[in-house]
Amino acid sequence: MDLTCPIPRQTSPQVLLAHGGGGKLMQDLIDKMFGATFGQTCTGHDAAQLMAPAGDLAFTTDSYVVQPLFFPGGDIGKLAVYGTVNDLAMAGAKPLYLSVGFILEEGLPMETLWQVVHSLAAAAQTVGVQIVTGDTKVVERGKGDGIFINTSGIGTIASPTKIYPGAIQPGDAILVSGDLGRHGIAIMAQREGLALETTIESDCAPLVQPVQDLLTAGIEVHCLRDVTRGGLAAVLNELAIAAGYQFQLDEKQIPITEAVRGACEIFGFDPLHIANEGCFVAIVPPEQAAQSREILQTHQPTAEIIGRVTDIACPGEQLAIAPVIFENSFGVTRILERLSGEQLPRIC
Amino acid sequence: MDLTCPIPRQTSPQVLLAHGGGGKLMQDLIDKMFGATFGQTCTGHDAAQLMAPAGDLAFTTDSYVVQPLFFPGGDIGKLAVYGTVNDLAMAGAKPLYLSVGFILEEGLPMETLWQVVHSLAAAAQTVGVQIVTGDTKVVERGKGDGIFINTSGIGTIASPTKIYPGAIQPGDAILVSGDLGRHGIAIMAQREGLALETTIESDCAPLVQPVQDLLTAGIEVHCLRDVTRGGLAAVLNELAIAAGYQFQLDEKQIPITEAVRGACEIFGFDPLHIANEGCFVAIVPPEQAAQSREILQTHQPTAEIIGRVTDIACPGEQLAIAPVIFENSFGVTRILERLSGEQLPRIC
C-alpha cells in the first residue's frame, strides 16, 4: 500500500455517476485510487482467489454510515476496518481478509474520498489484514450521504473452544476492556459543533491483540462482545438473554471518565447506552478474572471486572426476571434496561 | 427458511431510525424478520463461525443500489444474491456463504423490506448458498434511497486451473452465454413507465450451473466474466487489456433479441453497452469452442461463439492498437469502444 500516493491530476474533482458506471472513468478510479492504495490484488477480477486458511472460518459484515465522516480520533475509513476486524476478534478469530464496498453520492469531493481510502488502507496495515476485493457504486445527489462503506471480513478461528453466548456459565466474571462512552460523545460533540472543555476522542481501535493475549495466556474465554450500538446496556441484555442467566453488575466498577460523564450530563445521555468502537465485554471463569483484568489493563488501564453471571434463570425479557441488574453493597437492586428507541443515530 | 412467514402484527409499518439503533426494536427486526426468514444462524453473534471449506477460497463483494427496487424479472433482493454468487462463479467457485448488509432509509414501508428479504432468501435457496451473517443500518429520510444492499460471498474454488485474464491465450474462442441487453432495458422501461410492445424481463439469474457444467465436461476454461455494468463493450475491453491481446469479434454472431434491439432504438442505447445480470463471457481453447457452446446452449439457447483472441499484442488502451475490434467478412474493421461516461445509472 502506498499511502503517500497523490491524487492523479486528471481525476475529476468530484465523484460523478460515471465513476460507478462500469466504463473508463470507473476503471480509472479503481486503478489510480484503489489499486494504488490497496495494492493490485483487489482490482483484477470479480472475486479474489485466496489460499484456504488453516482451521475454521469466521465471517462477518458491517456497513458504516457514520456522520460526520471525520471526527476526533477517527473517520469512517478507520471505523470500517476496525469495526469489522473487531467483530472477527469477538469470535476469537485472527482477521485475514477484508472486502470493501463503497456507495458514493454524486458530487462527493474526490479529495474526501482519497482521505477516507488512505485512512482505510492505513488501518488495514495496522492490523495486518489484507483488502482483497471491492466494489464501487455511485448514487445521484440527494440519494445517499457522501460515503457509505460496507466491509466484510474473513478470519481464521484461533480459539480452542467456541466463544459464544452459549458458553457462558453461572459464576462467570464479566469484564469490560476499557472505559465507556468516548466514541458516541466524540461524534455527538462534532455533530453539534460543541467545544467541550477537553476534546473527547473516539476510542476507535482494533481489539485483535487484547483478545489474542487473553487466549495466549490460556484464559478460557467463554464469550466476547464489542460494546457498539446500544452501548453496554444493549450488549449485556442481549448476552444475558442468549445465555439464559441474569447478570449482576457493580455500578461503581464500570469505568467512565469524568470528561465523558460531564459531556453526558450536557447532552442528556446515559453513558451505558452510548456506542463505543474500541471496547469489549469479556466473560471468563471467575478464577481467571483477575488475570484477565491484568492482561486487558496492559492495553487499556481502565479495563475492569464489572459483574458476574448469576445462577438465576432468565429465559427472556418478557418475563419477571430482568436480564441485567445492578446490586449495591446494601443489596438494593436496579434494572439496567436497554433503550427501545434510538438515542444517537448514524454513530457507526 | 420460512418464506411464508407473515409480517408480525406488532411491527411498525415503516422503518424507523431506532431499527438501526442497537436497542429492542433492532433486535425485534433481527429476530422476527431476518431470523424467521434466513434461519437463526445469522442472528446469534457478531461473526459467523463456519467450517473451513476444502480447497482455496473465492471472496467477493457487491453493493446493490438498483432503482426501481422491483422490475420485470427481478428485484433488488434477488439481484443481491445472484449478482454476488455470479462473481464467485466467474472465479470457477462453488458459492457457500453470503453476508447481507442493509442500509435502509427511514420511512421505508416495512412491507417493502419484507418482500425484498423474502426474495433474497428464496434466491439463496435456489442456488444453495447460506446467508450466515448480516447487518442493518438506518439513515435519515433523504439520506438514502429506500434500500441499499451489500452482499459478500465466500466460495470454494472448484476449477483445476486458475480462471483469470492471465490465462487467456492467442487463438482462444470468445463465447457469450446468452443474448444481451435484457436487464438494462427492463430497468429502463420500468423507470420511464414505458409500455414496450413486449415486456422485456431482466435476465437476472444464477450462473453457477452453466460454469459447473463447463468444468465438469473438462473444458479448460481460461477466463470468465459476467457481463454487468458497462455491458459487453466494457467487459471485453477490460479483458483484452488484462490479457494483453487484441480481441476480434464477429458482430453478426452477437446474440441480441429483436425486442431488445427495438427497445434500444427507442431509448437510443447501444445494446453492447447495456448491463446484464445473467450472462457471461467465457474464453476457452479453440478446439473446445463448439462443445462449450453446446453446453451453454442447454441453459440458454442464445449462447454463441462471438469471436477470438488474436496474437496482436495490446498493452493498453492508450496505444494505437484497439483492444477490441469487429471484423466483417470483407476484412473491414471497426473498434468496439467502451463508454467513458454513464449511460444508465443505478442498474444494479
Side-chain angles (χ1 to χ4, degrees):
Chain A
M1 292 172 204
D2 177 7
L3 301 183
T4 60
C5 175
I7 302 183
R9 218 176 298 200
Q10 67 273 44
T11 302
S12 148
Q14 294 193 324
V15 170
L16 310 174
L17 281 173
H19 283 113
K24 279 183 207 164
L25 266 178
M26 188 170 102
Q27 195 59 47
D28 265 13
L29 188 74
I30 292 174
D31 291 345
K32 291 179 186 151
M33 180 179 285
F34 304 136
T37 315
F38 300 145
Q40 287 300 333
T41 44
C42 77
T43 63
H45 207 57
D46 286 331
Q49 301 184 34
L50 310 167
M51 296 269 288
D56 285 349
L57 299 181
F59 182 32
T60 192
T61 194
D62 246 318
S63 301
Y64 299 85
V65 299
V66 65
Q67 270 298 339
L69 300 174
F70 301 89
F71 48 83
D75 60 76
I76 192 171
K78 186 172 167 184
L79 204 59
V81 172
Y82 292 160
T84 293
V85 153
N86 289 350
D87 281 346
L88 293 174
M90 295 304 109
K94 181 177 151 37
L96 298 174
Y97 306 118
L98 279 190
S99 66
V100 180
F102 291 101
I103 299 176
L104 307 176
E105 185 187 5
E106 181 189 16
L108 176 78
M110 200 57 87
E111 177 70 34
T112 304
L113 182 57
W114 271 96
Q115 284 176 29
V116 168
V117 164
H118 277 200
S119 170
L120 204 149
Q125 206 167 40
T126 300
V127 287
V129 69
Q130 262 184 284
I131 295 165
V132 293
T133 187
D135 177 57
T136 309
K137 294 291 189 305
V138 183
V139 296
E140 299 90 342
R141 229 178 265 266
K143 300 292 183 184
D145 198 11
I147 307 183
F148 299 145
I149 303 178
N150 176 284
T151 50
S152 300
I154 299 178
T156 178
I157 293 179
S159 162
T161 58
K162 189 170 174 183
I163 295 175
Y164 77 121
I168 295 171
Q169 298 295 323
D172 278 355
I174 303 167
L175 293 94
V176 289
S177 71
D179 57 285
L180 299 168
R182 281 186 276 138
H183 178 69
I185 294 296
I187 297 286
M188 196 60 193
Q190 180 83 355
R191 207 184 281 172
E192 300 294 310
L194 270 197
L196 298 168
E197 259 176 64
T198 2
T199 299
I200 295 173
E201 293 207 337
S202 167
D203 63 340
C204 180
L207 299 171
V208 181
Q209 203 51 53
V211 171
Q212 289 306 313
D213 287 356
L214 290 174
L215 294 174
T216 306
I219 304 293
E220 193 193 296
V221 177
H222 289 166
C223 194
L224 300 169
R225 181 68 60 92
D226 49 344
V227 189
T228 54
R229 278 183 287 179
L232 189 70
V235 162
L236 290 185
N237 272 277
E238 271 171 47
L239 290 183
I241 292 166
Y245 298 105
Q246 189 181 61
F247 290 1
Q248 196 176 300
L249 307 180
D250 183 350
E251 187 161 13
K252 66 182 189 307
Q253 290 304 103
I254 297 174
I256 297 160
T257 64
E258 279 312 305
V260 166
R261 267 193 211 286
C264 278
E265 273 173 31
I266 294 171
F267 292 129
F269 288 156
D270 180 338
L272 301 186
H273 291 140
I274 291 184
N276 309 274
E277 288 292 342
C279 178
F280 64 100
V281 161
I283 299 184
V284 303
E287 63 278 10
Q288 296 185 313
Q291 192 192 350
S292 300
R293 173 175 51 187
E294 216 170 283
I295 292 166
L296 294 177
Q297 285 184 348
T298 63
H299 295 277
Q300 177 52 263
T302 52
E304 199 43 83
I305 301 167
I306 61 165
R308 64 186 191 91
V309 178
T310 72
D311 56 4
I312 299 164
C314 162
E317 65 192 319
Q318 311 307 328
L319 297 165
I321 308 294
V324 186
I325 60 163
F326 293 115
E327 187 166 78
N328 69 15
S329 47
F330 307 105
V332 179
T333 63
R334 185 164 71 80
I335 294 171
L336 174 58
E337 283 194 277
R338 56 177 160 172
L339 286 180
S340 175
E342 174 58 79
Q343 181 177 250
L344 189 54
R346 311 283 299 278
I347 200 77
C348 60
Chain B
M1 293 174 206
D2 177 6
L3 301 183
T4 60
C5 175
I7 302 183
R9 217 176 299 199
Q10 66 275 41
T11 302
S12 149
Q14 294 192 325
V15 170
L16 309 175
L17 281 173
H19 283 112
K24 278 183 208 164
L25 265 177
M26 187 170 103
Q27 195 58 46
D28 264 13
L29 188 75
I30 292 174
D31 291 345
K32 291 178 186 151
M33 180 180 286
F34 305 136
T37 316
F38 301 144
Q40 287 301 332
T41 44
C42 76
T43 62
H45 207 54
D46 286 330
Q49 302 184 34
L50 309 167
M51 295 270 287
D56 284 350
L57 299 181
F59 182 32
T60 192
T61 194
D62 247 318
S63 300
Y64 299 86
V65 299
V66 65
Q67 271 298 340
L69 299 174
F70 301 89
F71 49 83
D75 60 76
I76 191 171
K78 186 173 167 182
L79 204 59
V81 172
Y82 293 161
T84 293
V85 153
N86 289 350
D87 281 346
L88 293 173
M90 295 304 109
K94 181 177 150 38
L96 298 175
Y97 307 118
L98 280 189
S99 66
V100 180
F102 291 101
I103 299 176
L104 307 176
E105 185 187 4
E106 182 190 15
L108 176 78
M110 200 57 88
E111 177 71 35
T112 305
L113 182 58
W114 271 96
Q115 284 176 30
V116 168
V117 164
H118 277 199
S119 171
L120 205 151
Q125 205 166 42
T126 300
V127 288
V129 70
Q130 262 185 285
I131 295 166
V132 293
T133 188
D135 176 57
T136 309
K137 294 291 188 304
V138 182
V139 296
E140 300 89 343
R141 229 178 266 265
K143 300 293 182 183
D145 198 12
I147 306 183
F148 299 145
I149 303 178
N150 176 284
T151 50
S152 300
I154 299 178
T156 178
I157 293 178
S159 162
T161 58
K162 189 171 175 183
I163 295 175
Y164 77 121
I168 295 172
Q169 299 294 324
D172 278 355
I174 302 167
L175 293 94
V176 289
S177 71
D179 57 286
L180 299 168
R182 281 186 278 138
H183 178 68
I185 295 296
I187 298 287
M188 196 59 193
Q190 180 82 356
R191 210 184 279 173
E192 300 294 309
L194 271 196
L196 298 167
E197 258 175 64
T198 4
T199 299
I200 295 174
E201 292 207 339
S202 166
D203 63 340
C204 179
L207 300 171
V208 181
Q209 204 52 54
V211 172
Q212 288 305 313
D213 288 356
L214 290 173
L215 295 174
T216 307
I219 304 294
E220 193 193 295
V221 177
H222 288 166
C223 194
L224 299 169
R225 183 67 62 93
D226 49 344
V227 189
T228 54
R229 279 183 287 177
L232 189 72
V235 162
L236 291 184
N237 271 278
E238 271 171 48
L239 290 182
I241 292 166
Y245 298 105
Q246 190 182 58
F247 290 1
Q248 197 176 299
L249 307 181
D250 183 351
E251 188 161 10
K252 66 181 189 309
Q253 290 304 103
I254 297 174
I256 297 161
T257 64
E258 279 312 306
V260 166
R261 268 194 211 286
C264 277
E265 274 172 31
I266 295 171
F267 291 128
F269 287 155
D270 180 338
L272 302 186
H273 291 140
I274 291 184
N276 309 276
E277 288 292 343
C279 178
F280 64 101
V281 161
I283 300 184
V284 303
E287 64 278 11
Q288 296 185 314
Q291 191 193 350
S292 300
R293 174 175 51 187
E294 216 170 279
I295 292 166
L296 294 177
Q297 285 184 347
T298 63
H299 295 278
Q300 178 52 263
T302 52
E304 199 45 82
I305 302 167
I306 61 165
R308 65 186 190 91
V309 178
T310 71
D311 57 5
I312 300 165
C314 162
E317 65 193 318
Q318 311 307 327
L319 298 164
I321 307 295
V324 186
I325 59 163
F326 294 115
E327 187 167 79
N328 69 14
S329 48
F330 306 104
V332 179
T333 63
R334 184 165 72 78
I335 294 172
L336 175 58
E337 283 194 277
R338 55 177 160 171
L339 285 181
S340 175
E342 173 57 79
Q343 179 175 249
L344 188 54
R346 311 283 299 279
I347 199 77
C348 60

